[in-house]
Amino acid sequence: MADADTVTSKNYTHVFDKPGNYSICLMVESKTGCISNRHADFPVQIFEYPKVNINAINQACKDQLLQLSPNIYSKDSIISLLWNLGNGIRAKDSLVNAQYYTEGKYTIKLLVSTINRCFDSAYKQITIHPTPVLTITAENIVCKGDSARLQVSGAYNYIWKDQNENIVCNGCNTFKTKPT
């Protein structure tokens, strides 16, 4: 397709790197030596591929709600997004909320398409961690006006809150409270 290119192969592919008007001539010869020519002029437009990335955290806890969003650069309009969340769920929205109910590694895939049928895809691996299993022990008998001692195990850090959601102890695995 470049200036004075001659190709003798039966199947030929040409990659265009510039837009413009191009001419082609196809000459064929039959087994008996008869020759036929066809000329064609055609315009070529060049469209760029979009560039896509996935915005999401790399690690989360089981049952935690995650938000996934695309980061897309494209000179052309995007007409479709297809998410594969790696857990059997697919989505077509630009913002996706996802939840994983089993710990493990998941690969998220995002495929985008422009109005000119140019595609790009991105992959992101996330790790889902198990939620801690807590054991709380307390004194069984507490008299009015006495404090109750609560002790917890099974996690890395503990944050105790009162009935109004105020933090009363951060980093304590043992907590004393006075029942009312």
Side-chain angles (χ1 to χ4, degrees):
M1 303 306 300
D3 295 333
D5 272 358
T6 300
V7 178
T8 58
S9 68
K10 188 175 182 180
N11 297 313
Y12 176 71
T13 302
H14 181 81
V15 177
F16 293 92
D17 58 358
K18 290 186 241 169
N21 291 316
Y22 291 86
S23 296
I24 188 169
C25 177
L26 176 63
M27 183 175 75
V28 293
E29 183 178 348
S30 70
K31 288 181 182 179
T32 59
C34 298
I35 295 175
S36 179
N37 291 314
R38 291 282 187 256
H39 294 275
D41 295 323
F42 56 95
V44 171
Q45 292 179 304
I46 304 292
F47 301 106
E48 290 188 27
Y49 288 103
K51 302 280 188 244
V52 65
N53 218 339
I54 298 172
N55 295 321
I57 58 176
N58 294 326
Q59 299 184 45
C61 295
K62 184 175 108 176
D63 301 329
Q64 179 181 347
L65 190 62
L66 305 175
Q67 189 172 65
L68 311 171
S69 64
N71 184 9
I72 303 171
Y73 170 77
S74 178
K75 289 185 176 182
D76 301 315
S77 298
I78 300 296
I79 60 165
S80 73
L81 293 100
L82 179 60
W83 294 88
N84 181 336
L85 303 182
N87 61 356
I89 296 176
R90 297 178 187 268
K92 294 181 178 182
D93 300 320
S94 57
L95 295 176
V96 175
N97 289 321
Q99 247 178 326
Y100 295 85
Y101 301 105
T102 306
E103 59 265 12
K105 293 188 183 296
Y106 295 86
T107 301
I108 299 169
K109 178 183 178 185
L110 173 59
L111 176 68
V112 298
S113 172
T114 67
I115 196 165
N116 299 308
R117 297 182 306 274
C118 295
F119 298 90
D120 191 24
S121 56
Y123 297 87
K124 183 169 189 85
Q125 187 169 47
I126 61 169
T127 302
I128 303 299
H129 300 287
T131 52
V133 177
L134 300 178
T135 303
I136 298 176
T137 56
E139 298 164 346
N140 289 336
I141 300 173
V142 179
C143 296
K144 185 176 181 178
D146 286 346
S147 295
R149 183 174 176 259
L150 305 172
Q151 189 165 10
V152 66
S153 62
Y156 172 74
N157 189 35
Y158 308 95
I159 301 172
W160 296 88
K161 295 181 180 181
D162 64 16
Q163 64 271 14
N164 297 320
E165 292 293 311
N166 297 314
I167 296 175
V168 292
C169 189
N170 188 347
C172 310
N173 72 329
T174 303
F175 178 69
K176 280 189 170 186
T177 184
K178 200 174 248 190
T180 54

